[in-house]
Amino acid sequence: MNEERLQYVQYHSSKESTYLTAIRQLISNDLSEPYSIYVYRYFLYQWGDLCFLALDEHDNVLGVVISKLEPHRGGPMRGYIAMLAVKQEHRGKGIATKLVRMAIDVMIERDADEIALETEVTNTPAMKLYERLGFLRSKRLHRYYLNGNSAFRFMLFVKESAFTSRLGYDENDEDEDQPELPPSA
């Protein structure tokens, strides 16, 4: 079998006319949410450098990840993977894994504390992908999607401080109620 030559590129607004229609088509085929052009532009205009494409040798879009990074409620820097899609006939080749890793790497370079995403509870392949990459299920969101399906929120805690703050734990705090242990003999 002839192995395809893929190239992975960072989205750039100068290529909007080349790629935006293909990105929208791919995502509308794969994801249950009907996103308007404004949703794509919201992400791509502000965080295009956190969005990556997998292209074949003819520059056809085979996969895409769309992400953002910003402070979350005045707290940690939170990366967010908003959309991930790979053409059906190209799944199982590591394209989604590579795209997500590229987005994660740039978010970490930009000081992300944590990275969040949601996926439908019925999307087992996506859940397995995110769990292999170290994401943890953090909560179930009942009837989250317009189609009525529920979602799981997944979190990747990049820095220990982000994880411990979610647990309400501060390593500098001392628990006054805990008895002091005797020194080891």
Side-chain angles (χ1 to χ4, degrees):
M1 183 171 127
N2 186 13
E3 189 64 30
E4 284 186 273
R5 293 177 190 235
L6 298 181
Q7 58 177 328
Y8 293 88
V9 298
Q10 193 172 45
Y11 178 85
H12 192 274
S13 60
S14 66
K15 296 283 192 174
E16 179 178 339
S17 63
T18 305
Y19 296 128
L20 186 55
T21 300
I23 291 169
R24 290 184 68 197
Q25 177 84 38
L26 178 59
I27 289 172
S28 68
N29 287 343
D30 284 357
L31 302 184
S32 60
E33 292 294 280
Y35 296 111
S36 76
I37 187 70
Y38 303 107
V39 173
Y40 293 98
R41 288 184 173 150
Y42 168 77
F43 286 98
L44 295 173
Y45 285 6
Q46 295 183 77
W47 300 283
D49 55 343
L50 293 174
C51 303
F52 295 91
L53 306 165
L55 308 172
D56 68 11
E57 64 272 10
H58 304 291
D59 283 345
N60 296 311
V61 177
L62 303 182
V64 62
V65 64
I66 296 177
S67 310
K68 71 176 186 170
L69 177 66
E70 62 184 358
H72 180 67
R73 299 181 180 169
M77 283 297 286
R78 177 180 278 185
Y80 181 69
I81 297 174
M83 300 171 220
L84 172 67
V86 175
K87 281 191 174 182
Q88 179 76 35
E89 61 271 23
H90 296 281
R91 293 184 187 164
K93 300 178 182 178
I95 295 171
T97 300
K98 172 84 170 166
L99 290 168
V100 172
R101 281 189 174 146
M102 292 173 77
I104 289 170
D105 289 347
V106 174
M107 289 184 221
I108 290 171
E109 286 173 15
R110 302 223 177 119
D111 211 26
D113 295 301
E114 61 191 28
I115 301 168
L117 61 94
E118 293 86 26
T119 191
E120 289 191 34
V121 297
T122 57
N123 193 345
T124 303
M127 290 188 286
K128 287 181 178 180
L129 164 74
Y130 296 125
E131 288 169 345
R132 273 195 319 272
L133 292 172
F135 284 84
L136 304 171
R137 291 182 197 186
S138 73
K139 73 170 68 166
R140 186 181 179 112
L141 305 165
H142 184 66
R143 299 183 59 82
Y144 182 76
Y145 292 104
L146 291 176
N147 66 6
N149 283 352
S150 296
F152 282 118
R153 173 157 305 132
F154 281 81
M155 298 294 298
L156 177 65
F157 297 103
V158 177
K159 296 180 181 172
E160 186 178 342
S161 60
F163 180 71
T164 56
S165 70
R166 297 287 181 193
L167 298 176
Y169 171 77
D170 181 347
E171 65 186 19
N172 297 319
D173 284 347
E174 291 187 26
D175 188 351
E176 294 175 9
D177 296 334
Q178 185 169 348
E180 189 172 317
L181 299 175
S184 299

